[in-house]
Amino acid sequence: MPVRTRIWRRRPITLTPLIDVIFLLLLFFMLSSTFTRFAEVPLQNAGGGAAPGPRPIFLQLGPEAFRLNGAPVGDADLIDALTALRPDKGEPTTLLVTLSEVVTSQRLIDLLVMLRPVPWLAVSVLG
């Protein structure tokens, strides 16, 4: 009795599954990465030693109110009050910001965004 052996034919490689995998990887990396930068807030640490120049302005940031050089100031009046305290029109002025214990980070970011359009103000956050 003759034995019939099966002849194995080599299948051609299909690229459809490979293309699907590449598409899924591309889709994953596109969705998991960001291509735009979010709003950046410049932040300086308060340095040691005093530099010659105008006296700094002190701002205490509370959860709902500001105290500018010890006087309470509303959110809407902050820029006007800072402009009135600017000692010299030619030099940049340092604003030292201290935080009360219950201030959230979002409140600090809101303050920094509010102060961003003031070009003559150098903001330093005291820790």
Side-chain angles (χ1 to χ4, degrees), residues 32-44:
S32 65
S33 63
T34 58
F35 296 107
T36 60
R37 298 186 107 174
F38 293 104
E40 294 180 357
V41 177
L43 191 61
Q44 298 175 343

Side-chain angles (χ1 to χ4, degrees), residues 16 24-26 29 31-32 35 45 50 52 58 61 71 78 110 117:
T16 305
L24 288 174
L25 286 173
L26 178 67
F29 286 117
L31 293 177
S32 65
F35 296 107
N45 288 335
F58 293 96
L61 179 61
L78 180 63
D110 291 341

Side-chain angles (χ1 to χ4, degrees), residues 40-72:
E40 294 180 357
V41 177
L43 191 61
Q44 298 175 343
N45 288 335
R55 294 180 60 180
I57 301 171
F58 293 96
L59 177 71
Q60 183 180 13
L61 179 61
E64 296 179 10
F66 298 115
R67 293 186 68 82
L68 189 62
N69 283 345

